[in-house]
Amino acid sequence: MFDRSQQLFEASQRVIPGGVNSPVRAFRAVGGTPVFFREGQGAWLVDEDGNRYVDYVGSWGPMILGHAHPEVLAEVAAAAARGLSFGAPTRLELEMAELLTRALPSVEQVRLVSSGTEAVMSALRLARGFTGRSLIVKFEGCYHGHSDFLLVKAGSGALTFGNPTSAGVPAELTSRTLVLDYNDPQQVEDAFARYGREIAAVVLEPVAGNMNFVRPSQAFVETLRRLCTRDGAVLIFDEVMTGFRVGPAGAQGVFGVSPDLTTLGKVIGGGMPVGAFGGRHDIMACLAPVGPVYQAGTLSGNPVAVTAGLATLRRVLAPGFFDALSATTAALVAGLAKEAGKAGVPFSATSLGGMFGLFFRAAPPASFSEVMACDKEAFNRFFHAMLRRGVYLAPSAYEAGFVSAAHGAAELEATFAAAREAFAEARAA
Ligand code: KE4
């Protein structure tokens, strides 16, 4: 069933560390051999062995219209035929900046980059330059790309500075990063009482999609907004995953809280390398060449990548798009919960817009510790049982899932049929 993937994986491991260009793709969390894909069409992927799958990873979020959308491909091909990159301003970057500032009222100006990591790294440097402060606050279980000072885990006990989670990151680089518990307003109050005037920025995943799927409480988000305003800290919503995924105005539109800066990625590139950061005009004015905070990029605003992003966003922002996507995603999680219930397997699922979380526990988790208490082994068995039956879920119990506009009744029925057998298998185990 996976012969070609196994052969390609063995060869790849000889010349690429772990055989992959991003660690989560290596299946280390779920075990087994990563699947090598040959092509994607709509909601479906085909691997090198010819196996077909309903895809719920969508390249970790970008493929919200489905794979190989014919109109997007046509626009990308036409853009490529006019030249791949100029390293000079183009009309397309203006069109993207105007679209983003119209869609997100908190974003008064925006700068394009080539990845989510670059967007968050740049936004945090900008916040430190704007405030003249150095302390950064993040939350355990949230991932904001692989910048040195963000590869940090909570120190021993709350209100202690982070320790590096990665080799190669000197302790002094994480010594100004404070790691708090997600969804704990009291801890935020305590941190601001102690460090408020030293905090340059708080960076938040406004729906945590890197510890599976955890929604913030309204009180948590509003506490962050109130305290950042009170003490002059920059509130950054990292919407790389939630931007144009949970709704037409991102998570800030869902929760009705405006950050000072927003970071974006994934959907805004439609599968091509585009990231962005933007927000309050007075903060963005600190960026080179206008202000003293340096930031740059050879392929920032690349015309072909921006074309893919614009073609995607125009369709995502069309009337009714999110109503339909949210309904499909809600039907998916309801159907899976129903199948699990029939099999008597402890399971819960939840969704927001086109993003969802699956949990082998009775109710969706509301904190990092509750996520860690989920039955990871049960998820891993479920993952492989679904994979063998042609359903591709994120290869980790700690990742969110994604639905596209190309997912319909046929894909849901195929998924429920596979889940019926997978849950029965889990029950037997
Ligand atoms: P990239 O540098 O991978 O484009 O974006 C980093 C990033 C920043 N912020 C958030 C909220 C993110 O989710 C990400 C990247 N997400 C992971 C999936 N959990 C990308 C997949 C991967 O690392 O291969």
Side-chain angles (χ1 to χ4, degrees):
M1 182 172 184
F2 300 116
D3 297 350
R4 285 290 298 143
S5 283
Q6 280 161 348
Q7 289 161 13
L8 290 165
F9 189 46
E10 281 157 25
S12 299
Q13 288 177 90
R14 286 193 286 275
V15 286
I16 305 170
V20 293
N21 285 306
S22 195
V24 72
R25 305 177 189 172
F27 274 33
R28 293 286 175 104
V30 293
T33 300
V35 178
F36 280 61
F37 291 108
R38 186 176 64 213
E39 71 172 291
Q41 295 293 340
W44 296 82
L45 287 171
V46 183
D47 72 13
E48 289 289 351
D49 292 283
N51 302 306
R52 299 183 73 242
Y53 306 83
V54 182
D55 177 23
Y56 288 109
V57 179
S59 183
W60 303 98
M63 307 321 296
I64 196 166
L65 298 183
H67 293 285
H69 188 290
E71 294 163 2
V72 173
L73 294 188
E75 291 191 45
V76 168
R82 295 192 294 269
L84 297 181
S85 183
F86 313 120
T90 65
R91 167 184 56 77
L92 293 161
E93 293 155 84
L94 170 60
E95 190 178 337
M96 175 64 90
E98 287 179 337
L99 181 153
L100 294 176
T101 52
R102 242 189 344 261
L104 301 172
S106 72
V107 177
E108 296 171 338
Q109 281 203 325
V110 65
R111 170 69 53 90
L112 299 182
V113 293
S114 300
S115 73
T117 291
E118 211 181 337
V120 177
M121 174 185 74
S122 306
L124 284 164
R125 181 184 311 130
L126 176 60
R128 283 171 155 163
F130 173 72
T131 59
R133 304 175 184 177
S134 66
L135 184 54
I136 299 285
V137 176
K138 77 173 290 285
F139 298 91
E140 185 150 38
C142 290
Y143 174 69
H144 302 288
H146 59 90
S147 307
D148 280 346
F149 51 88
L150 290 172
L151 293 180
V152 58
K153 63 179 179 295
S156 51
L159 297 196
T160 55
F161 292 102
N163 306 315
T165 52
S166 167
V169 176
E172 50 265 40
L173 291 189
T174 59
S175 63
R176 300 301 286 156
T177 306
L178 186 60
V179 185
L180 303 181
D181 291 335
Y182 197 85
N183 266 339
D184 186 334
Q186 187 52 55
Q187 231 184 66
V188 176
E189 295 273 5
D190 297 344
F192 269 81
R194 191 162 170 189
Y195 300 109
R197 305 301 297 175
E198 295 175 58
I199 295 173
V202 174
V203 60
L204 173 80
E205 280 192 66
V207 173
N210 287 285
M211 53 168 145
N212 200 314
F213 181 110
V214 177
R215 292 173 76 114
S217 69
Q218 193 70 27
F220 177 58
V221 180
E222 289 179 357
T223 299
L224 290 172
R225 178 63 282 170
R226 173 171 54 81
L227 293 173
C228 283
T229 302
R230 187 194 73 188
D231 290 357
V234 175
L235 178 58
I236 301 175
F237 276 12
D238 178 355
E239 297 227 38
V240 166
M241 187 183 284
T242 55
F244 306 104
R245 168 57 67 177
V246 299
Q252 56 197 270
V254 171
F255 295 105
V257 173
S258 288
D260 301 310
L261 292 178
T262 298
T263 55
L264 297 164
K266 296 180 192 280
V267 168
I268 71 164
M272 301 282 282
V274 180
F277 64 104
R280 279 171 35 194
H281 191 284
D282 60 329
I283 301 176
M284 297 301 285
C286 294
L287 261 186
V290 182
V293 178
Y294 194 69
Q295 183 275 332
T298 302
L299 296 178
S300 295
N302 173 271
V304 180
V306 168
T307 296
L310 284 169
T312 299
L313 288 173
R314 282 192 217 101
R315 290 164 175 83
V316 163
L317 293 171
F321 179 89
F322 274 101
D323 294 339
L325 183 68
S326 303
T328 304
T329 313
L332 169 72
V333 299
L336 290 174
K338 184 178 160 206
E339 294 302 339
K342 284 193 296 192
V345 172
F347 177 88
S348 57
T350 184
S351 70
L352 183 60
M355 187 172 158
F356 67 89
L358 308 179
F359 312 96
F360 282 83
R361 74 191 299 267
S367 68
F368 178 72
S369 56
E370 289 184 2
V371 169
M372 289 301 119
C374 289
D375 186 343
K376 182 182 156 210
E377 294 317 313
F379 171 82
N380 291 351
R381 289 193 298 273
F382 182 72
F383 170 83
H384 283 288
M386 293 293 270
L387 190 69
R388 288 194 301 275
R389 293 174 174 83
V391 177
Y392 187 60
L393 298 171
S396 164
Y398 306 123
E399 296 283 354
F402 304 98
V403 173
S404 82
H407 286 74
E411 288 71 26
L412 292 191
E413 275 321 303
T415 305
F416 298 152
R420 201 165 299 134
E421 294 179 12
F423 282 126
E425 220 174 74
R427 183 75 183 144

